Structure formats: structure tokens, C-alpha cells
Amino acid sequence: MHSAVFLIEFGAIILGLGLLGRLAGRLHFSPIPLYLLAGLAFGEGGLLPLGASEEFVAIGAEIGVILLLLMLGLEYTASDLVSNLKTQYPAGLVDFTLNALPGAAAALLLGWGPVAAVVLAGVTWISSSGVIAKVLGDLGRLGNRETPVILSILVLEDLAMAVYLPIITALVAGMSLAAGSVTLAIALAVAGAVLFVAVRYGRVISRFVSSDDPEKLLLVVLGLTLLVAGIAQQLQVSAAVGAFLVGIALSGEVAEGTHTLLSPLRDLFAAVFFVFFGLHTDPASIPPVLLPALALAVVTALTKIATGYWAANRAGVGIKGRWRAGGTLVARGEFSIVIAGLAVSAGIQPAMGPFATAYVLIMVVIGPLTARYTEPIAAYVTRRRTPAAPQQQAGAAVPAPASRESVGTADDQGTAGHV
């Protein structure tokens, strides 16, 4: 009987997620807010609380986080990360300063304490790579000159996660300063060692893992990822960091083949993860934190726009491209939930879950809108503020008006180079 109830509940969840994903696709919208809302509906205080399948959903959610970070690591090679770290680190520092500090300040103003401040700093800092990649594709901007700038910032954020997640893991576990320092030192040493090995021996590792049989490739990569993630978690480093480093170590045809094989699994378990996060959030707890979350969303949307504008300007991109870069970076999503989930699981701050849910729901909705409309709105405001030119005297030669595309925008469109 228990088994039958489990199958019915879990089958209903998967079917519901599939229908929600289909709806989001037709609306050209990210499915993340719909998955979160589904979790709210099935959790405590929701319309239909789960019972038998909740433990399995928890395991699936953990696998979802691991696969998210693995697939993220597969997007980059070690040389890409090292190159971006050398050339784009000023943009990364500006990104951290403008977007992490508002989250930390908000947590302190709400009286949540220093640990919650570090957690909320990460929630507001990290943009959603998945949502942004989809938006760039939908808007046809993959070849724009500002796109490499956007991707460089995302790469730096993803690399920073390898350092940030172990810090969060140590803090929420209540480790002492000495134990936390050891954990961070281990994480940095492991990350550095993996980057070194991947740069020097990446092809050897890929040949060892490679297989012409998709079944064998899937089993080896998935088994290796779960093994490394488990070892990392046992060392208090973070299972997600372990998975990310495995993805970085794989390259070439192996990375492409693994990406193709694991994408459906990633999407399935990632959806389960968002549902699981929603399960642990009481819908009745969201209204009290909605206004603070909305205020923080407005502030951090503006700071992300400023980040993108500054970074694109530094790269020599035209004015229109700078605004597009800023607007595209606004979306937050999966990693904000991953970070908040660590604090929620540890019971750091009861209001953190509802606050993060409300914040991500707002940001994942307005992110595609800012990507599309920031540049036109900025152009409109600029035209309104620019005083009209004095009327030319009769008979005087009237110079031809300069094209809008001729001032700092010739480089807004074109083939984007590799990041």
C-alpha cells in the first residue's frame, strides 16, 4: 500500500512538472517559478501535502544539485577558466561588490545575523546561467559583441562558487574558525589541483572516461560524479563543488557526449530540486517577507544592470550593448535556490526559505523583461533628457543627422568571440 501511494504521488509530481514545463515553453518563459509554485502547493500548508514520496524527492533534489553543477562544469575547460580569471577579474570584483553587499546588508537589517548575511549575499550575487543562456538564444543575441562580456561574468561567478560553497557549508554546519579554515584550505587545494590536472592532463582523463557506447559513458561519468561528490561532502567541502570540478576535468568529445546524455536527467532532477525547496516553504510565510524581497529585487536588479554596463564599457562595447549586457544579467534562479537551500536545511533562519523563494520568483520573472527592455528604455530616457538642437537659420546648410547606430554602437552586433 505504501509503495502504491509513493508511485501515485511521485508519478503525479513528474507528470505535473512535465505539463508545467510544456506551458512555460509555449509562453517562452523559464519554468523555474512554476516549479517553485508546484512545490509550495505540495508542501506544508499547501493544497495537497505529500507524504510517502517526500524522502525520495529529497534524494532526487540532492542529485539535481549535483547534476546542475556537473553540467555547468562541462561548459568550460580549465584553460577557459584560467584565461577569464586573468583578464576579467576586475569585472568579477565589481560584480561581487555591487551585488553581494546588498544581500548581506538586507540580512543584517532584518536582524538575521552574520551567517544569514553571508548566505543572502550569495543569493543576490549569483546570476542564473540557465535562464540567461535561454534568454540570449530566444532574443537572437548569441552573436552580439556584449555576449562574451556576459558569459565572462557568468564564468567568474561559477568559478567563485567553488570557493563560496565550502564557506557556506562550514558556516551553516557551525564549524569553528579553525575547522572552517581547514575546510576552505582543502577546497582551494582541491580546486587548484583539479584545474592544474585538467590543463595538463585533461585529454588523458577524457580518453580514460571516453567510450563509444553511450550506456558505458553514462554509467562511468555519472558514477564518477556521484563518487567525487560524496567524497567532497564527506570532507565538508560541498558535493556540488566536487561535481563542478569533475565537469571541468572532462573536455572534448567526452564533454559533448556527456552533455547530450545527461541533459534530460539534469532537467528532471533539477525540476525535482525546485519542487523540494518549495515543499519546505509554507505559502503562508511568504506574504510577510514579500515587500522586503521586492525591495531587494529592485536594488539588485539595478546593481546587476550597473555591473553589466561597466563590464561592457571596459570591453569597448557600444552604449546600446552596455545596456543590453546589464539587463541580461539581472535574472537569478537555480544557484540562488541552491545557496538558500543549504541554510534552510541547516535551520539557520526560518524566514530564509520564504524570503529566497519570493526573491527568486520576482527575479526570474523580471530577468527576461530587463534583458529585452533595458536598452530601449535607456534610449528613450536619453532622448527625453537631451535638449532639442536650436533651429537652423533660414538658408543655412543643415548637416545630415548622425545615425543612431554610428555612435558607439557599431560593435553592438557581430560575431562573438570565444570566452
Side-chain angles (χ1 to χ4, degrees), residues 220-263:
V220 170
V221 173
L222 185 58
L224 177 63
T225 302
L226 294 176
L227 176 63
V228 172
I231 294 173
Q233 187 160 319
Q234 191 69 24
L235 295 173
Q236 300 295 323
V237 171
S238 172
V241 171
F244 179 64
L245 295 175
V246 171
I248 292 173
L250 302 178
S251 61
E253 294 182 1
V254 173
E256 295 175 7
T258 301
H259 193 282
T260 302
L261 291 171
L262 286 179
S263 288

Side-chain angles (χ1 to χ4, degrees), residues 90-100 125 127 149 153 157 300-314 322 325-327 329 332:
L93 293 176
V94 170
D95 182 33
F96 171 78
T97 303
L98 292 182
N99 298 287
W125 172 22
S127 298
V149 176
I153 292 175
E157 289 181 351
T300 53
L302 294 175
T303 54
K304 273 293 182 181
I305 291 173
T307 299
Y309 188 97
W310 184 89
N313 180 47
R314 178 175 177 269
R322 298 172 203 169
L329 285 169
R332 270 67 154 196

Side-chain angles (χ1 to χ4, degrees), residues 125-317:
W125 172 22
I126 306 297
S127 298
S128 171
S129 301
V131 173
I132 291 172
K134 187 177 187 307
V135 167
L136 287 173
D138 290 345
L139 297 180
R141 295 181 181 174
L142 293 174
N144 283 20
R145 286 292 302 275
E146 75 270 9
T147 299
V149 176
I150 296 170
L151 297 179
S152 294
I153 292 175
L154 295 178
V155 170
L156 290 173
E157 289 181 351
D158 296 337
L159 184 58
M161 288 277 283
V163 178
Y164 177 77
L165 284 177
I167 295 175
I168 292 296
T169 303
L171 288 175
V172 299
M175 292 184 179
S176 64
L177 179 61
S181 300
V182 170
T183 298
L184 180 58
I186 292 173
L188 291 175
V190 171
V194 169
L195 286 175
F196 174 77
V197 171
V199 170
R200 295 292 298 271
Y201 306 106
R203 293 183 179 179
V204 176
I205 297 172
S206 297
R207 281 199 300 268
F208 172 77
V209 175
S210 178
S211 174
D212 294 331
D213 188 339
E215 177 185 352
K216 295 184 178 63
L217 178 62
L218 174 64
L219 292 174
V220 170
V221 173
L222 185 58
L224 177 63
T225 302
L226 294 176
L227 176 63
V228 172
I231 294 173
Q233 187 160 319
Q234 191 69 24
L235 295 173
Q236 300 295 323
V237 171
S238 172
V241 171
F244 179 64
L245 295 175
V246 171
I248 292 173
L250 302 178
S251 61
E253 294 182 1
V254 173
E256 295 175 7
T258 301
H259 193 282
T260 302
L261 291 171
L262 286 179
S263 288
L265 279 178
R266 185 270 315 271
D267 295 339
L268 169 63
F269 286 106
V272 171
F273 165 70
F274 292 119
V275 170
F276 176 74
F277 188 84
L279 288 176
H280 289 262
T281 303
D282 186 349
S285 63
I286 291 182
V289 298
L290 190 57
L291 285 180
L294 179 60
L296 184 61
V298 171
V299 171
T300 53
L302 294 175
T303 54
K304 273 293 182 181
I305 291 173
T307 299
Y309 188 97
W310 184 89
N313 180 47
R314 178 175 177 269
V317 177

Side-chain angles (χ1 to χ4, degrees), residues 71-144:
M71 300 295 282
L72 185 64
L74 290 172
E75 298 290 338
Y76 313 122
T77 65
S79 57
D80 288 336
L81 293 176
V82 172
S83 174
N84 275 279
L85 192 60
K86 289 180 178 178
T87 60
Q88 300 294 339
Y89 73 89
L93 293 176
V94 170
D95 182 33
F96 171 78
T97 303
L98 292 182
N99 298 287
L101 293 184
L108 294 176
L109 289 174
L110 291 169
W112 290 354
V115 175
V118 177
V119 173
L120 196 57
V123 171
T124 59
W125 172 22
I126 306 297
S127 298
S128 171
S129 301
V131 173
I132 291 172
K134 187 177 187 307
V135 167
L136 287 173
D138 290 345
L139 297 180
R141 295 181 181 174
L142 293 174
N144 283 20

Side-chain angles (χ1 to χ4, degrees), residues 312-408:
N313 180 47
R314 178 175 177 269
V317 177
I319 294 176
K320 294 170 69 175
R322 298 172 203 169
W323 287 116
R324 286 197 296 265
T328 304
L329 285 169
V330 166
R332 270 67 154 196
E334 61 272 20
F335 296 125
S336 297
I337 295 296
V338 169
I339 295 165
L342 292 174
V344 171
S345 299
I348 295 300
Q349 173 54 241
M352 178 68 74
F355 188 92
T357 300
Y359 176 80
V360 170
L361 284 172
I362 294 169
M363 297 304 285
V364 83
V365 168
I366 69 172
L369 298 179
T370 58
R372 185 183 297 269
Y373 296 114
T374 297
E375 182 267 320
I377 290 174
Y380 173 78
V381 172
T382 301
R383 288 197 301 270
R384 289 294 299 269
R385 289 185 175 180
T386 302
Q391 224 174 3
Q392 298 289 335
Q393 293 182 354
V398 180
S403 169
R404 287 175 58 199
E405 301 295 327
S406 66
V407 183

